Amino acid sequence: MIVERLAIPEVVRVRPRRFGDARGYFSEVFSARGFCQQVADVEFVQDNEALSGAAGTLRGLHFQRSPMAQGKLIRVIRGAILDVAVDIRQGSPTFGRYVSARLDGVDGDQLWVPVGFAHGYCTLEPDTLVAYKVTNYYSPDDDGGILWNDPAIGIEWPVLPQGPVLSAKDQGLPLLKDLPAQFHYNSEQEGVA
């Protein structure tokens, strides 16, 4: 696999290799050994899948609080998304900044979003199917989030004529400045403490 660290280096774009011929291609989309050696030494415990019917469906920005915090490995099976990770680790040199990547079912790239980041995405095509692995089980009691259009973060979401399709929950999330500290940056470990 090809690994690319983004502007916030803890967030990693992963491109599994594809071997193709006249029939199509074969790809090993995930290998625990390769992922742990090249990206992050974590264990995934749950696979999730989300289908969004309309282009412009925006999901996020979500995270889970400790002790149920999750790292996520996101990929698109069909369609395309703009995938976004926001650093919410107090004390981090990139606190409040975000990185984004376009992911689609054609290229097969994936995005690793570690613990300490809020995550969200906007679909760019109708009937987009997203699959993601997580490092901890879903816990409704530990669910958290940040408002998708927080002006202090300034995410450049795709411009869609009808505006984003949002859940009521995502429309009511707090601004980053109103969020109590959830994660703390540890410079020695370059991550979450």
Side-chain angles (χ1 to χ4, degrees):
M1 70 180 151
I2 299 167
V3 171
E4 173 193 355
R5 297 202 175 269
L6 301 187
I8 301 174
E10 294 88 350
V11 180
V12 180
R13 187 179 193 126
V14 177
R15 174 169 289 167
R17 292 185 62 200
R18 286 185 173 177
F19 303 92
D21 59 25
R23 300 167 298 166
Y25 70 83
F26 169 82
S27 180
E28 187 177 88
V29 297
F30 177 76
S31 162
R33 178 179 50 219
F35 190 85
C36 289
Q37 289 172 351
Q38 296 183 52
V39 181
D41 190 6
V42 296
E43 180 182 342
F44 293 102
V45 299
Q46 183 174 310
D47 286 320
N48 299 324
E49 186 174 284
L51 173 67
S52 298
T57 299
L58 197 147
R59 298 178 185 263
L61 300 159
H62 303 147
F63 62 88
Q64 282 196 179
R65 297 174 193 86
S66 290
M68 299 303 289
Q70 296 177 326
K72 298 178 181 179
L73 181 62
I74 299 99
R75 74 184 183 106
V76 174
I77 297 171
R78 180 179 67 232
I81 63 173
L82 178 70
D83 205 17
V84 174
V86 179
D87 188 347
I88 59 171
R89 300 168 299 166
Q90 293 288 326
S92 166
T94 55
F95 178 80
R97 290 185 21 212
Y98 77 95
V99 290
S100 64
R102 185 185 192 279
L103 302 179
D104 61 50
V106 175
D107 291 336
D109 287 6
Q110 302 173 27
L111 195 68
W112 165 244
V113 179
V115 168
F117 288 77
H119 171 255
Y121 63 86
C122 182
T123 60
L124 304 174
E125 297 177 9
D127 298 319
T128 291
L129 184 60
V130 175
Y132 55 103
K133 297 180 163 308
V134 293
T135 60
N136 214 336
Y137 296 103
Y138 175 67
S139 170
D141 293 340
D142 298 296
D143 214 8
I146 303 166
L147 191 63
W148 68 279
N149 62 349
D150 184 332
I153 300 168
I155 297 171
E156 293 183 29
W157 294 106
V159 177
L160 301 160
Q162 80 281 9
V165 178
L166 293 157
S167 70
K169 170 189 161 186
D170 288 351
Q171 292 177 46
L173 292 172
L175 298 172
L176 180 59
K177 70 179 177 107
D178 298 327
L179 191 70
Q182 303 295 321
F183 306 98
H184 297 279
Y185 179 77
N186 180 335
S187 61
E188 289 178 17
Q189 295 177 347
E190 292 189 9
V192 177

